[in-house]
Amino acid sequence: MERVELIAPCHFGLESVLKREILDLGYEIIKVEDGRVTFRGDQGAVCRANLFLRTAERVLLKTGEFKAVTFDELFEKTKQIPWEEYIPEDGRFWVTKAASVKSALFSPSDIQSIMKKAMVERMKLRYRKERFSEEGASYPIRVFFMKDIATVGIDTSGVSLHKRGYRQLSSKAPITETLAAALILLSPWKKDRILVDPFCGSGTFPIEAAMIAANMAPGLNRSFTAEEWTGLIPRKLWLEAADEARELENLDVETDIQGYDADGEVIRAARQNAADAGVEHLIHLQQRLVSELRHPKKYGFIITNPPYGERLEDRESLPQIYREFGESFRRLSDWSAYVITGYEDAERYFGRKADKNRKIYNGMIKTYFYQFMGPKPPRREKRGPEN
């Protein structure tokens, strides 16, 4: 298995950010679709993609793609996949997730059951056994139907990649780490620029920004299902990827990243999360109301996820919150603001129409990424050699 095809699912609307990440890792893009990017690499790509990709939800090792409109077709075509090349005799395998869009086969439980039976039949023929212990490493299968075309892959990640391992404590409506990273990467913010999140909650935006600034691999402090696949991906490839990640990391980088929240308990949780991520020294976290938002310097960035009335009892306070947010933003000379929210009246109470607006699904919640752009800072003059 020298060259492999991998599928990286992501948030709908942020495929371009993930595509750029994959290209930066040096891999070939095969296909970009709604909510996922397919790419090609060597065996080490499984390890590096899991460790380095900030915006992917997981990494799947693609095993097959076929058309199926009946359960008989699904059974036979699943059986044709050379499962024995991926799954050892004692491997634990099951179809953990089935999704279907605009397809004749749409019952997840039936799809899962039939595919498992087909896999067992294939394994019986190849291993010449009637029963399998399934006591070894895990090989969770995922299948996605789109217009009757089934794409099948083995999940190499296990727990979703948004679980970086640092967020033990969270606020009421946390934004996922992968979505936060994608929105930061979608903005023009760079590590030498100011970044403030006035509704930081459990600290996800500041922590992800600090990890980006320090070039810290998001998957370095967690484990992955495919690490157990000793026969498929040599252990040394995981060790090499981890060594590469440590060599690239720079925890001495200078930053101006700040996070505020009105709730002191939440700020304490954010500080603990930042400490667990290893970036507490790169972030300033403070209990502060959005009406008190100030900064003496120009050309900073606000990247934030303000409340948007997920609970009915919170909705009455939203106009005031967004009004105060807008007033504070107008006091910041030449700043830019990038705001993700599901609140339909955000622009109205913020007091300004966004320069750009992007629809993004945060799970099942439709949100908008409002982009209020300030001017670019003047170019710094390059000093030539002294005469």
Side-chain angles (χ1 to χ4, degrees):
M1 196 187 68
E2 293 181 357
R3 300 288 290 173
V4 295
E5 278 192 34
L6 301 171
I7 304 165
C10 64
H11 282 274
F12 282 92
L14 294 171
E15 299 84 2
S16 62
V17 185
L18 177 55
K19 177 185 174 182
R20 188 167 72 237
E21 277 201 283
I22 292 167
L23 289 172
D24 287 345
L25 284 179
Y27 300 123
E28 175 193 354
I29 300 293
I30 296 173
K31 190 163 40 174
V32 178
E33 303 166 275
D34 286 346
R36 57 184 173 157
V37 179
T38 303
F39 60 103
R40 185 179 286 117
D42 55 13
Q43 286 176 299
V46 173
C47 314
R48 295 181 74 236
N50 273 296
L51 276 165
F52 287 103
L53 291 179
R54 300 182 189 280
T55 63
E57 292 302 307
R58 59 186 67 250
V59 178
L60 308 178
L61 174 59
K62 186 176 176 181
T63 58
E65 189 169 272
F66 52 80
K67 183 174 183 179
V69 295
T70 68
F71 286 122
D72 285 341
E73 270 189 298
L74 176 62
F75 181 90
E76 292 301 328
K77 290 181 178 177
T78 300
K79 191 178 170 183
Q80 288 171 15
I81 295 172
W83 293 108
E84 68 282 357
E85 293 180 9
Y86 304 100
I87 305 172
E89 200 171 325
D90 68 343
R92 179 172 173 255
F93 57 97
W94 74 103
V95 182
T96 184
K97 175 105 184 245
S100 180
V101 177
K102 298 178 181 177
S103 299
L105 302 180
F106 57 85
S107 166
S109 59
D110 289 334
I111 292 168
Q112 288 168 297
S113 174
I114 285 163
M115 289 186 70
K116 169 73 177 189
K117 288 175 185 174
M119 292 172 69
V120 169
E121 288 305 309
R122 173 82 187 201
M123 302 281 274
K124 280 182 181 179
L125 290 170
R126 291 300 182 266
Y127 287 116
R128 301 183 184 280
K129 288 181 69 172
E130 283 300 310
R131 294 184 179 279
F132 297 92
S133 66
E134 297 198 44
E135 294 174 347
S138 296
Y139 295 81
I141 313 300
R142 288 179 172 248
V143 58
F144 177 72
F145 276 86
M146 170 58 82
K147 296 181 180 177
D148 298 321
I149 302 297
T151 304
V152 186
I154 309 176
D155 181 8
T156 72
S157 305
V159 176
S160 173
L161 292 180
H162 81 265
K163 298 280 190 182
R164 315 286 205 218
Y166 67 75
R167 194 167 74 180
Q168 308 304 319
L169 303 163
S170 64
S171 53
K172 289 180 227 170
I175 191 167
T176 66
E177 294 86 333
T178 45
L179 179 54
L183 297 179
I184 294 167
L185 293 173
L186 196 60
S187 78
W189 177 80
K190 296 289 183 283
K191 62 187 176 185
D192 60 343
R193 303 281 295 276
I194 304 155
L195 187 149
V196 176
D197 179 357
F199 302 96
C200 74
S202 53
T204 309
F205 271 124
I207 292 169
E208 290 295 320
M211 291 174 74
I212 291 168
N215 210 17
M216 183 184 288
L220 193 54
N221 295 318
R222 54 159 287 168
S223 59
F224 309 97
T225 296
E227 287 182 84
E228 301 174 15
W229 303 352
T230 51
L232 198 59
I233 301 167
R235 181 68 185 162
K236 70 169 189 173
L237 296 180
W238 289 102
L239 297 174
E240 287 171 2
D243 286 344
E244 180 189 359
R246 291 187 190 96
E247 286 172 12
L248 292 171
E249 197 172 274
N250 176 18
L251 291 173
D252 295 325
V253 65
E254 291 187 12
T255 61
D256 189 346
I257 299 170
Q258 304 178 28
Y260 308 130
D261 201 280
D263 188 331
E265 284 293 320
V266 166
I267 285 294
R268 278 187 280 279
R271 287 189 182 125
Q272 184 60 56
N273 291 338
D276 290 344
V279 294
E280 72 274 24
H281 64 294
L282 299 176
I283 303 170
H284 173 70
L285 295 162
Q286 183 181 355
Q287 183 179 1
R288 185 187 287 192
L289 298 169
V290 70
S291 59
E292 299 169 355
L293 177 58
R294 303 281 191 282
H295 202 290
K297 295 181 181 177
K298 291 186 170 188
Y299 308 114
F301 284 81
I302 293 171
I303 305 180
T304 192
N305 175 38
Y308 43 90
E310 301 91 328
R311 300 187 307 176
L312 192 62
E313 60 267 31
D314 294 337
R315 290 180 189 167
E316 289 182 7
S317 63
L318 292 181
Q320 182 66 17
I321 289 171
Y322 282 81
R323 195 178 289 115
E324 290 176 353
F325 182 18
E327 288 168 359
S328 293
F329 177 64
R330 284 187 286 279
R331 287 196 298 267
L332 293 166
S333 178
D334 299 326
W335 277 50
S336 300
Y338 292 79
V339 182
I340 182 169
T341 177
Y343 185 40
E344 298 281 352
D345 290 325
E347 289 173 301
R348 174 186 171 192
Y349 291 108
F350 190 76
R352 174 177 162 182
K353 186 170 177 57
D355 298 295
K356 288 186 179 180
N357 180 10
R358 193 175 187 130
K359 189 190 296 182
I360 293 167
Y361 278 88
N362 184 5
M364 298 303 292
I365 302 170
K366 182 173 70 173
T367 62
Y368 301 91
F369 189 44
Y370 296 107
Q371 300 165 60
F372 304 92
M373 299 185 182
K376 293 180 180 178
R379 285 179 175 271
R380 293 175 185 168
E381 288 186 15
K382 290 184 179 179
R383 292 183 179 178
E386 291 184 9
N387 294 326

